[in-house]
Amino acid sequence: MEPYKPVVATKIRRFPAFFLGLAILLTVTAFGFLAMDSYYWYRTLIGNTRTYLRLEELRGEIIHLNELLSMCARMAVATGDLQWEKRHAQYVPRLAAALKEAVAFAPDAQSGSSVVETDTANRYLMQLEGRAFQWLRENRKPKAERLLSSKGYQRQNEIYSRGMQEFEQQLKAGISSASRKKREEALSQIVLIFFTVGILMLAWVMVLRALRNWEKFFAKQNRQLFLQANELAALNMNLDLKVAERTIQLERSREAAEEARKKAEQSKEELEKEMKERKSLEGQLLQAQKMEALGRLAGGIAHDFNNLLTIINGYAQMVLNKLKPEDDIRDEITEIQHAGNRAASLIKQLLTFSKRHIVSPQIINLNDVILNIDTMLSRLMRDNIKVENAPCDEILNVKADGNLMEQVLMNLVVNAADAIGDNSQGKIMVSVQSFVFLEKTSSCSMPLKPGKYGVLTVCDNGCGMDEEVKSHLFEPFFTTKGKSKGTGLGLATSFGIVKQFGGCIDVWSEPGRGTAFNVYLPCVSADNVKPVPEPSQAAPQGTETVLLVEDEESVRKLTAEILRGYGYNVHEASDGVEALQVVNALNSSKPHLLLTDVIMPRMNGRELAEKIRVLYPGIKILFVSGYTDDVISGKLLGAPGTAFISKPFLPLALACKVREVLNAA
């Protein structure tokens, strides 16, 4: 045995500590540098991303505000209503502020010049629109119309649109350049990481070599110490025991790792499912917000149009009543009335879509919906299309408005006929069946509550739809039909109607294989259903006193003329405050009926009705409006002596409704 050399052992013992400390120092330094550099790169990326996102928001806001300004000018000239000028003035400072912010945020000089060009065109457009408003105030409407349809106005719109397109292209180019720069920076980061890892590997190699020399030194000492057989046998036995224990530990670790892997996979599946459900809910929320916004716009427009249509249809009917059958102008007046009726139908569809109308839900048999319009559907279809009905054997009672459900079915069948076309033999199957939804069947993607449902199905063998079209199917004004062949409101209106009655619509479609719409409505019990009373057949003439409250002067004048023509004593007021003054001036003359508009300035119809009921508890009330906006509720309309008639109305319909309310107990 060689003698022990403590000096050599001491020198070898110092090597690992030195290299280990060096490796740890280099590791901490390298990772600290990488952390600081990554933090700076991340902050820069976030800042650039926020800038480009803000620019994209500004671009969309500028386009939207320009469309609103042009719409206000055109609507003011088309309708002669100067209220549009006030709305125009509200949007002008917002557009100027958005353009100013876009110039300040533009990523480079070229994008800034595009926004400046757009701002210049916008200023010229506002000057032209201001001139049109001035001529409109001076009763020079034809000149204002020519100005808004002039080539100069169109050219500035084209400059405006071209500027926004160039701004969008330059914005996308800036984003692409920034993305390319970030990729280059990321590549530099990767190179730096590889370089740092190489240095760290070199340091750790030196440490491992030192540790290996340390192990060799002790191995040499051990060979000298384990020469004796008994010590070697004991060492081998001890080593076997440790190997066995280590094997058991490794097996347990492997089982634990396998169990952890299974739990991780299960957690991953649950997370993916939760993310998918969340994405679906976010899509539904976005669609609901869009539907609500468009519904408010549609309801506001419908309010003004229903007033105009009341005047047009009412006076047209009054003129027709005065004309003889052989008069030359009778056909022209009839065409005016037909156009007014078609416009009223479109406004009713808008109000149905926006949910701003009063419906009468009743318990109906879903089979009756397809049986009531069976003959009408057959007459509407072309010769190459066959419609088949398949009612359900059992009675499926649902709570809905029968007329609205027939409108839903009509919309679905007409869309199916359009999908089939004129050049092929088509078949449309309309069926009713029951469906029981259980809470355990979580694979269903429809927002249904557990229970029994009636399913109205419209299936066709037409051209079908791809996923892109299906994703926009129920959006308002979205249509795949040609020009002048559809308004884009049919399916959106149907969706709103079905949702209003607690149901939903499910769609299956594939290109070339046809389409199937399934309308789900919750079933209800038909016990204790009160029959609907028959309308009164009394003559519309009367002598009672009517307090008429209407803020639109032309509508008020028409309504008063109709009622006076049927013998009623009419007192007029332009709003609720004036109506109370008129009532106080009547003294002992008690009004028998309050005929009031719902939406009025200063005091709406509901507030006026409550105040009049305090003065005259037994007075009858008839609300009239083309757009309720939730001012009157179903509970108020259900009160005794209270009724509602929607605009536009015809003279005879108004007289009959007034007589019906006055005759009611």
Side-chain angles (χ1 to χ4, degrees):
M1 181 181 294
E2 296 181 0
Y4 182 72
K5 298 179 180 179
V7 177
V8 176
T10 304
K11 288 177 68 177
I12 296 176
R13 190 180 297 117
R14 291 174 183 172
F15 288 163
F18 171 78
F19 287 111
L20 184 60
L22 178 62
I24 293 174
L25 177 62
L26 289 174
T27 302
V28 173
T29 303
F31 280 101
F33 174 77
L34 289 176
M36 293 178 62
D37 187 69
S38 299
Y39 176 76
Y40 172 76
W41 179 76
Y42 172 77
R43 290 292 300 272
T44 304
L45 177 62
I46 292 299
N48 292 338
T49 302
R50 290 176 178 172
T51 300
Y52 287 119
L53 287 176
R54 181 54 184 161
L55 281 170
E56 185 65 18
E57 292 176 359
L58 288 173
R59 184 189 67 81
E61 185 178 359
I62 290 170
I63 294 175
H64 176 64
L65 289 173
N66 177 63
E67 293 175 352
L68 288 176
L69 289 174
S70 297
M71 184 195 73
C72 289
R74 294 184 184 277
M75 289 300 294
V77 173
T79 63
D81 187 0
L82 290 177
Q83 291 296 328
W84 290 102
E85 184 180 4
K86 295 181 180 180
R87 301 180 184 177
H88 184 277
Q90 293 176 359
Y91 296 126
V92 168
R94 291 174 57 186
L95 179 58
L99 286 169
K100 182 178 179 181
E101 186 177 357
V103 172
F105 267 104
D108 53 32
Q110 190 175 6
S111 297
S113 64
S114 299
V115 181
V116 170
E117 181 182 4
T118 305
D119 186 26
T120 303
N122 175 64
R123 293 177 185 276
Y124 190 75
L125 285 172
M126 286 192 291
Q127 291 177 1
L128 294 177
E129 292 166 357
R131 193 178 305 164
F133 284 126
Q134 180 179 357
W135 287 344
L136 191 61
R137 288 193 300 271
E138 296 173 357
N139 293 326
R140 300 164 70 184
K141 182 177 178 181
K143 194 170 183 179
E145 290 177 346
R146 287 195 299 271
L147 177 60
L148 293 182
S149 62
S150 63
K151 293 183 178 179
Y153 186 83
Q154 299 296 331
R155 183 168 58 254
Q156 291 302 319
N157 269 321
E158 292 172 359
I159 293 174
Y160 190 97
S161 300
R162 184 174 63 252
M164 290 310 300
Q165 290 176 359
E166 292 176 359
F167 176 68
E168 181 179 9
Q169 294 172 0
Q170 291 157 4
L171 179 62
K172 291 181 178 179
I175 294 174
S176 300
S177 175
S179 300
R180 183 168 56 254
K181 184 177 178 181
K182 292 306 174 184
R183 286 196 297 270
E184 293 173 358
E185 292 179 357
L187 183 60
S188 301
Q189 292 283 337
I190 293 173
V191 173
L192 180 61
I193 290 173
F194 274 108
F195 178 76
T196 305
V197 170
I199 294 177
L200 294 177
M201 289 181 63
L202 180 61
W204 284 105
V205 166
M206 296 176 66
V207 171
L208 292 176
R209 290 185 61 183
L211 289 174
R212 190 175 299 153
N213 292 335
W214 180 265
E215 290 174 357
K216 289 181 179 179
F217 170 77
F218 276 100
K220 185 177 180 180
Q221 297 294 325
N222 288 335
R223 284 195 300 270
Q224 296 175 357
L225 294 174
F226 295 154
L227 293 177
Q228 297 179 359
N230 56 346
E231 293 179 358
L232 183 60
L235 180 61
N236 289 334
M237 184 181 296
N238 192 19
L239 183 61
D240 290 339
L241 291 174
K242 289 183 178 181
V243 168
E245 292 177 359
R246 185 59 177 170
T247 302
I248 295 174
Q249 292 177 358
L250 289 175
E251 183 64 23
R252 291 176 179 175
S253 299
R254 187 189 65 79
E255 293 176 355
E258 182 66 21
E259 184 178 357
R261 184 186 64 80
K262 292 181 179 179
K263 290 183 179 180
E265 290 180 352
Q266 184 178 1
S267 301
K268 181 181 178 181
E269 292 177 357
E270 294 177 355
L271 180 61
E272 290 177 351
K273 181 179 178 181
E274 182 179 352
M275 292 299 294
K276 185 176 180 181
E277 293 177 353
R278 181 177 179 181
K279 186 175 181 181
S280 176
L281 292 175
E282 289 176 351
Q284 294 176 10
L285 176 61
L286 180 61
Q287 180 69 11
Q289 291 173 344
K290 289 166 63 179
M291 296 278 284
E292 177 65 18
L294 287 173
R296 290 182 181 275
L297 176 62
I301 295 174
H303 175 263
D304 296 334
F305 269 83
N306 274 328
N307 281 333
L308 297 176
L309 290 173
T310 300
I311 300 169
I312 294 172
N313 293 349
Y315 279 113
Q317 184 63 50
M318 292 175 68
V319 172
L320 285 175
N321 293 337
K322 295 177 182 179
L323 292 176
K324 297 180 180 179
E326 63 273 9
D327 284 338
D328 296 336
I329 64 172
R330 187 176 183 86
D331 293 338
E332 287 81 353
I333 301 299
T334 302
E335 288 300 322
I336 293 175
Q337 189 180 39
H338 288 170
N341 291 335
R342 289 196 298 270
S345 177
L346 178 59
I347 295 302
K348 181 179 179 181
Q349 203 170 30
L350 281 171
L351 288 175
T352 302
F353 154 70
S354 63
K355 300 180 184 178
R356 283 162 173 80
H357 67 304
I358 296 178
V359 298
S360 302
Q362 300 175 354
I363 297 179
I364 60 174
N365 184 0
L366 198 57
N367 290 315
D368 295 338
V369 176
I370 64 175
L371 296 177
N372 290 340
I373 62 173
D374 183 19
T375 305
M376 183 185 301
L377 290 178
S378 300
R379 292 176 180 175
L380 287 176
M381 294 300 104
R382 299 183 297 274
D383 295 337
N384 64 319
I385 299 177
K386 182 180 180 182
V387 180
E388 296 183 0
N389 294 332
C392 186
D393 294 335
E394 61 176 314
I395 298 176
L396 299 176
N397 292 316
V398 297
K399 190 172 185 180
D401 190 313
N403 294 329
L404 293 182
M405 289 309 302
E406 290 177 5
Q407 179 182 347
V408 170
L409 179 57
M410 184 71 69
N411 289 338
L412 296 179
V413 173
V414 170
N415 281 347
D418 292 337
I420 293 173
D422 299 328
N423 301 324
S424 60
Q425 292 296 324
K427 180 180 178 182
I428 300 176
M429 173 62 74
V430 181
S431 62
V432 175
Q433 56 187 347
S434 63
F435 172 73
V436 178
F437 177 71
L438 302 177
E439 191 173 6
K440 296 181 179 179
T441 59
S442 58
S443 59
C444 181
S445 60
M446 294 179 294
L448 298 178
K449 297 180 180 180
K452 184 178 180 180
Y453 289 83
V455 185
L456 176 63
T457 302
V458 177
C459 182
D460 65 78
N461 59 347
C463 59
M465 297 176 288
D466 56 19
E467 293 298 328
E468 177 65 20
V469 174
K470 287 171 60 179
S471 63
H472 302 283
L473 197 58
F474 297 109
E475 294 182 1
F477 307 109
F478 173 79
T479 178
T480 58
K481 301 177 183 179
K483 187 177 181 181
S484 302
K485 292 186 178 180
T487 62
L489 283 175
L491 289 179
T493 302
S494 301
F495 181 86
I497 292 172
V498 174
K499 188 175 181 180
Q500 188 174 8
F501 298 136
C504 69
I505 301 180
D506 182 42
V507 184
W508 173 90
S509 183
E510 289 186 6
R513 298 186 61 185
T515 304
F517 284 87
N518 296 315
V519 179
Y520 291 82
L521 291 173
C523 291
V524 297
S525 174
D527 296 339
N528 301 323
V529 178
K530 297 181 180 180
V532 179
E534 293 294 332
S536 174
Q537 300 298 328
Q541 294 289 337
T543 59
E544 291 88 347
T545 300
V546 178
L547 176 59
L548 172 61
V549 187
E550 170 62 57
D551 61 325
E552 186 70 28
E553 182 178 0
S554 299
V555 179
R556 185 173 68 250
K557 179 180 177 182
L558 170 65
T559 308
E561 185 176 350
I562 294 172
L563 294 177
R564 290 190 179 106
Y566 282 96
Y568 294 98
N569 181 24
V570 182
H571 297 279
E572 302 179 34
S574 60
D575 56 33
V577 176
E578 184 178 345
L580 293 177
Q581 296 174 357
V582 171
V583 169
N584 293 330
L586 292 178
N587 296 327
S588 61
S589 179
K590 174 185 175 182
H592 300 86
L593 173 68
L594 170 63
L595 177 60
T596 177
D597 192 9
V598 177
I599 306 299
M600 294 186 297
R602 297 201 294 178
M603 183 185 299
N604 60 46
R606 178 185 60 81
E607 296 171 341
L608 174 61
E610 292 174 352
K611 293 182 181 295
I612 292 293
R613 275 274 168 82
V614 174
L615 299 175
Y616 303 105
I619 191 173
K620 304 296 179 62
I621 298 175
L622 177 57
F623 291 104
V624 55
S625 179
Y627 168 60
T628 63
D629 196 23
D630 298 330
V631 173
I632 57 176
S633 63
K635 182 178 180 180
L636 184 60
L637 290 180
T642 305
F644 176 83
I645 183 172
S646 61
K647 297 179 183 178
F649 50 77
L650 294 178
L652 180 60
L654 176 63
C656 291
K657 191 66 177 180
V658 169
R659 189 68 265 163
E660 177 187 342
V661 175
L662 289 172
N663 291 341

